[in-house]
Structure formats: C-alpha cells, structure tokens
Amino acid sequence: MISDRQPPSLYLLSGALLAGLAWALVDAWRGYRVRSWLRHGDLGLAPHMSGWWGIVLDRARKLLRERERTIAASEQRLKDFLLAIQTSPNGVVMLDARSQIEWCNKTAASHLGIHPERDVMQRVGNLLRDPVFTEYMAVEQPIEPVVIAGHKNRIERPVRISLQRHRYGEGKQLLLTRDVTLIEQAEAMRRDFVANVSHEIRTPLTVMSGFVETLQTLDLNEEEKKRYLGLMAVQAERMQGLVEDLLTLSRLEGSPIPSVLSTLPLKQLIDSCEQEAKGLSNTITHGVNPHAIQFKVEPTLSAATLMGESRELQSALSNLVSNAVRYTPGGGSINVSVDQGIDGSLLIDVRDTGAGIAAEHLPRLTERFYRVDRSRSRESGGTGLGLAIVKHVMQRHGGSLSITSELGHGSCFRLIFPANRWHANH
C-alpha cells in the first residue's frame, strides 16, 4: 500500500520557492519605486527603505544634494556675473554667428538705443544704421575701436560712444561700448587751450620782435626810442599778465579745497578792491571824466568774515571789479554792494553801466579765452581768463558766480557765498 503523504523536503522546497518569489516581488517593487523616484529626482519624495535599496537610496540622495548645491552655486555665480555686467559703466552686447543680439546689458542699450528684451535675436545692423558702424562691422578682424554718435546725441549736447568688437566661440562676437563724450570734450578743450595760449602769446611776441628789429636797424632819436620801448613794455606786461593768470588757474585746479579755518575780513576785501578800482580808473581815464565808483555794505555785515583762502577771494572780486572798470566808458558808474540772501548766503554784486552783453554769450563767459569782442578785450588789457578764475574760486569755496546783462544797460556779476562760508560777527 502506497502512502499519500509528501516527503518533508518537498514542503521545504515549496516554502523556499514561495518565500523567494515573495522576496523577488517585494524587491522588484522596491526597485520600481526607486526607479520611479530617480526619474523625478525630488528629494522630498524619496522613499525610505532598508537593506541594499536603502544604501542605494542614501547614496543617490547624497549625490542629488551635492548636484543641487553645485547647480545652485553655479546659478548664483551666473546671477552675480550678470548683475556685475548690468551695473558696469561699460556696455556689453553678445552677438551670435549671424550678428543677431543674444543679450545686452542696460548700459549698452542706453548707449546704442536698443531694447534689452524686445530686440533680442534682431540683427544689430538693422538697429544701428550709422555708416561708420556698418563699415566697422564689415572688417573681419578690427584692431582699433571706432567712435560713433550715441543714441542721445544732439547738436547742442553731443554724445560720443567708443565701440570695440571681439570674436569668441564659434563665430560669435562681443561688442563693448564706452561713453567717451567727456574724454573727447577734454581733448578738444586741451587742443583749444593750447591753440589759444599760443595765439595770445604769439601776438605780443610778434609785435615785440618787430619793435626790436626796428630799434636794431633804424637810426632813431631818443623820443622815438622811448615810444617804441614803451610799446614793448605794454606787450611784455600783457604777456606777464597772461602767464600769471595761467599759473593762477593751474594752482586753483591742483590745490585742495580751502579750509574754513582760514578767514578774510569782509571790510579788508572791500577796501582793497575799492582802492584798486579807483587807481585803475585814474590810469585808464587819465583823470579825465573818471568813473563814479561806489562800494556799499549793509551795516549789519560790516564786521562779517569770509572763510576761505584770502588770496583766492581777493582775486575773484578784484577780477570782477577791474573788468567793470575796463569795460565801462569814462563817466559811467560801477557799484559794488554786499547783502545777505534769504537763504543765509552772502551776496556781493558788481554792477556797471557798460555796453552790456548779449544773452547768447552769457553761458560761455566763464570759458577760458572766450571773448565777446576780441579786439576790444585786448585793447582793455584783458587776458580772457579772469572770469574762468572767478568761477574756479567760487566753486572751490562752495559758492557760485551769477551773471545777468542786457545790451545797452550794463551788467551785474554776483558772487554767492553759502551760509557755511561766512559769519556776521555781530
């Protein structure tokens, strides 16, 4: 008789197979969960497991955290880099291989008149129609930068932009822009200054050379020699005055701002300029039909003190007073008054009854060597630097120079000292 019972080993084998199958299913499920999570890579959704899959998950989480930190650091560096370029005073434009704008900072947009967002992927040649720029872009490997008119360029207010092109990558280009308006203006001023100085010195030198040649070649009597030597002395004095004014301007531009610890009594300044004005008037008119010169100080300000460099303050007011005497015909009047402004400033007005100055000349009067009437200015002995000196002195003392004038009705030059540059001494 055969028994229906299975041997114990078969039960054990079946159990092992079932257990292995269950473990394989569980392991497959865990692997599926890990694979699903890896597809998304969200650390917040990472499953929690033990065993080998737990070790794999821990390692994967660590690698993902490191990657996220690296990406975040790279993004922050990129943001910092772009922010630095945005705040740069120089413009940057990135072009692709077809000269289309990929990116530009706000400075370049302002320089060239392009929009940093709307004009992306636009050909730069379609936006900038300047012939100089078009010709520059046609050069394969430009070495020197080119200067073009800026977006805000106007006849009355020119704007000049320096632009340089560099190649990088695969056919891409980088445009760097820089506002050189002030540099070009300074260079133009330097050229004009040198030309003006040369012209101002050449004229008296030519005259003196002619007189010297005359004295050397002609047999002159004593009276003629005296006259020629006198004319030479006038030209020498003119050159000396020009050199002194140039040295004064150079000293003003290279010196530190005057200290408020240095002081000059207002009465001393007024008295000195009054004596100088009357002496100059007598010299010019030879005592015939002299000027009517009046200096008036408000009684409350008679003991006032100015705070600043006394030599500079003396030079500023002296220039205005001497100009008023030189450009006012004999018999005219010069009035100098000192008053206090409503904002606490100290006002020194120099008024004359001269020919006056047309309105179009007023903004340029303080430019070096600028003259309304060159021949008349030279005849009066002016160097064309006096008002430039006055302007510099007032700026160094925190003040300003105001000029009003009307043709046929004289002029008024006002020195304005701020409240912190004087005190009343009641």
Side-chain angles (χ1 to χ4, degrees):
M1 183 176 182
I2 299 173
S3 174
D4 293 334
R5 287 191 178 183
Q6 299 293 332
S9 59
L10 185 59
Y11 286 110
L12 292 174
L13 180 61
S14 298
L17 289 173
L18 290 174
L21 179 61
W23 182 87
L25 290 174
V26 171
D27 191 65
W29 172 245
R30 288 181 173 181
Y32 174 78
R33 290 179 65 191
V34 171
R35 188 182 68 172
S36 299
W37 170 71
L38 287 175
R39 286 178 177 176
H40 301 286
D42 189 347
L43 286 172
L45 300 178
H48 295 281
M49 298 180 185
S50 58
W52 288 105
W53 284 117
I55 295 173
V56 171
L57 282 172
D58 288 341
R59 180 60 179 167
R61 278 195 293 265
K62 183 178 179 181
L63 291 174
L64 284 174
R65 288 193 185 97
E66 291 179 354
R67 187 189 70 173
E68 288 186 350
R69 283 195 294 267
T70 302
I71 292 174
S74 298
E75 289 179 347
Q76 186 59 47
R77 282 196 296 270
L78 178 60
K79 289 179 181 178
D80 293 341
F81 177 73
L82 293 177
L83 182 61
I85 296 180
Q86 283 288 9
T87 57
S88 170
N90 296 327
V92 179
V93 183
M94 300 173 66
L95 305 177
D96 63 11
R98 300 181 58 192
S99 295
Q100 297 178 145
I101 298 174
E102 290 185 330
W103 182 88
C104 73
N105 65 354
K106 294 179 180 178
T107 305
S110 175
H111 286 169
L112 305 177
I114 58 180
H115 197 281
E117 297 175 359
R118 185 182 62 239
D119 292 332
V120 170
M121 301 314 297
Q122 295 289 324
R123 288 182 66 88
V124 69
N126 295 336
L127 301 175
L128 302 178
R129 299 302 184 93
D130 191 316
V132 177
F133 175 75
T134 302
E135 183 179 351
Y136 178 72
M137 291 298 291
V139 178
E140 183 65 23
Q141 292 289 348
I143 300 175
E144 297 294 329
V146 66
V147 177
I148 63 175
H151 171 58
K152 298 180 180 179
N153 182 67
R154 300 292 184 272
I155 295 177
E156 66 278 5
R157 190 176 182 181
V159 176
R160 306 291 290 168
I161 302 299
S162 172
L163 188 147
Q164 189 157 18
R165 178 163 58 100
H166 301 276
R167 294 190 177 276
Y168 75 100
E170 297 182 0
K172 295 188 176 185
Q173 302 179 85
L174 188 70
L175 299 182
L176 303 178
T177 66
R178 184 166 59 103
D179 191 332
V180 294
T181 304
L182 294 179
I183 295 176
E184 289 206 344
Q185 288 177 348
E187 180 62 21
M189 289 177 63
R190 185 193 66 80
R191 290 195 300 268
D192 291 344
F193 179 74
V194 172
N196 283 324
V197 171
S198 301
H199 178 74
E200 293 294 333
I201 292 180
R202 183 171 60 246
T203 301
L205 278 177
T206 302
V207 175
M208 291 183 67
S209 297
F211 289 154
V212 170
E213 184 178 353
T214 300
L215 290 172
Q216 289 176 334
T217 58
L218 297 180
D219 186 14
L220 304 176
N221 57 41
E222 289 301 320
E223 184 178 348
E224 289 175 329
K225 289 180 180 180
K226 184 177 180 180
R227 184 168 66 87
Y228 279 120
L229 289 173
L231 293 172
M232 292 174 64
V234 171
Q235 298 301 324
E237 184 179 353
R238 178 180 165 189
M239 284 193 295
Q240 183 178 359
L242 177 61
V243 171
E244 288 177 353
D245 283 351
L246 287 172
L247 291 175
T248 299
L249 273 175
S250 176
R251 185 180 67 252
L252 291 175
E253 293 176 345
S255 301
I257 299 300
S259 170
V260 295
L261 299 179
S262 301
T263 60
L264 173 65
L266 180 62
K267 187 177 185 306
Q268 178 181 330
L269 174 64
I270 295 299
D271 290 346
S272 174
C273 288
E274 184 174 7
Q275 293 177 8
E276 183 179 344
K278 292 179 178 179
L280 180 60
S281 176
N282 288 330
T283 301
I284 293 175
T285 63
H286 304 288
V288 179
N289 197 21
H291 302 91
I293 300 175
Q294 182 180 15
F295 281 68
K296 180 182 178 182
V297 181
E298 287 297 316
T300 56
L301 302 175
S302 59
T305 299
L306 293 173
M307 291 179 285
E309 178 59 45
S310 58
R311 184 170 58 174
E312 294 182 16
L313 297 173
Q314 181 75 43
S315 175
L317 184 57
S318 176
N319 266 297
L320 295 185
V321 172
S322 61
N323 280 349
V325 174
R326 292 178 189 278
Y327 295 114
T328 301
S333 62
I334 291 95
N335 294 292
V336 179
S337 61
V338 182
D339 204 348
Q340 184 175 350
I342 57 175
D343 59 351
S345 59
L346 184 72
L347 312 176
I348 303 180
D349 288 353
V350 179
R351 299 179 183 272
D352 63 59
T353 57
I357 305 167
E360 63 267 22
H361 295 292
L362 296 181
R364 301 191 60 188
L365 284 180
T366 57
E367 293 181 13
R368 299 177 184 185
F369 296 110
Y370 184 81
R371 292 187 173 97
V372 177
D373 186 340
R374 287 186 174 273
S375 60
R376 181 166 170 261
S377 178
R378 289 196 183 95
E379 289 173 1
S380 66
T383 63
L385 296 172
L387 291 180
I389 292 174
V390 176
K391 178 184 175 181
H392 273 70
V393 169
M394 295 309 296
Q395 287 178 342
R396 286 168 50 78
H397 287 79
S400 61
L401 169 64
S402 170
I403 305 174
T404 56
S405 185
E406 185 178 353
L407 282 175
H409 294 83
S411 306
C412 177
F413 294 80
R414 169 175 288 182
L415 301 180
I416 306 172
F417 293 91
N420 63 347
R421 279 289 178 175
W422 74 283
H423 50 81
N425 291 333
H426 291 306

